[in-house]
Amino acid sequence: GEHSVYNAVASIAAAAMLGVDIPYAIKRLSSYQHMRSHFQIIEGRNQITLVDDTWKSNPASLRKGLETLSRIALPSQRKIAVLGRMAALGKYADEEYEKAGHLISASGIEILITKGFIAKDFEKPAIEAGVNPHNVYHFSDADEMKRFFDSFLIPNDIVYFKTGGDDSDFDDVIDYLRG
């Protein structure tokens, strides 16, 4: 996302201040290995693009993830968000899920899929904000999601995965769709 550009520029500036040649710093930065599950773009089977952003989920990271997804998705792609819970919201949970539901709609997400009972809290505000209720689905486990995806996904879809916990079902589904 955009925030990564700021990090890259800051690292080049810091390297330059330490006497590192800027072209060398840029060359080294170009070999940076993207961290797993941090908005990791994966070519899935049947011409599906997967975005694994499951390392953490909180209001700020979800917002940045959805904004970045909106910028990188082609107009011809169906934008699908598969969301698990946001972690550690405490007394702000209702308010943050409400905001997130509106953000989902504003980001142009056409299909919303939630996994787990807490993530269901994304659905009502997203629908109220304009997501078609016929394009909102909820699942409890990986096998249900796999069966659904087998009959639902079409070539050129972009599927964004985000959860705030150690949910191996997300890893299982992403691996399955990798093909």
Side-chain angles (χ1 to χ4, degrees), residues 25-172:
I26 291 170
K27 181 179 178 188
R28 294 292 301 170
L29 186 61
S30 71
S31 68
Y32 172 76
Q33 293 295 314
H34 191 82
M35 294 174 68
R36 184 181 185 281
S37 301
H38 288 74
F39 209 89
Q40 180 182 9
I41 299 173
I42 303 163
E43 288 184 39
R45 64 178 184 199
N46 301 328
Q47 302 168 326
I48 305 298
T49 301
L50 309 171
V51 180
D52 179 356
D53 199 20
T54 59
W55 185 68
K56 294 244 188 218
S57 184
N58 57 54
S61 69
L62 178 61
R63 183 181 70 252
K64 283 296 184 188
L66 290 173
E67 288 172 357
T68 303
L69 177 69
S70 290
R71 282 197 301 275
I72 68 166
L74 301 172
S76 61
Q77 289 180 297
R78 288 193 308 176
K79 291 187 289 287
I80 301 168
V82 182
L83 306 179
R85 69 180 182 86
M86 289 189 286
L89 296 177
K91 66 181 182 179
Y92 302 103
D94 291 342
E95 176 184 346
E96 293 301 334
Y97 277 95
E98 178 86 16
K99 288 180 192 174
H102 290 273
L103 177 64
I104 290 163
S105 178
S107 299
I109 298 300
E110 293 147 283
I111 295 127
L112 172 62
I113 298 168
T114 59
K115 193 267 177 187
F117 72 95
I118 294 174
K120 210 166 168 62
D121 290 345
F122 288 113
E123 294 178 7
K124 184 178 178 202
I127 291 168
E128 289 172 350
V131 174
N132 183 336
H134 298 292
N135 291 339
V136 177
Y137 304 89
H138 178 78
F139 299 101
S140 298
D141 65 49
D143 290 334
E144 288 177 308
M145 291 191 336
K146 288 183 212 177
R147 283 190 299 273
F148 172 78
F149 282 136
D150 279 342
S151 64
F152 185 78
L153 292 177
I154 58 175
N156 208 32
D157 280 346
I158 187 165
V159 187
Y160 174 73
F161 292 88
K162 183 78 164 167
T163 191
D166 187 22
D167 190 337
S168 62
D169 281 351
F170 277 77
D171 293 333
D172 189 22

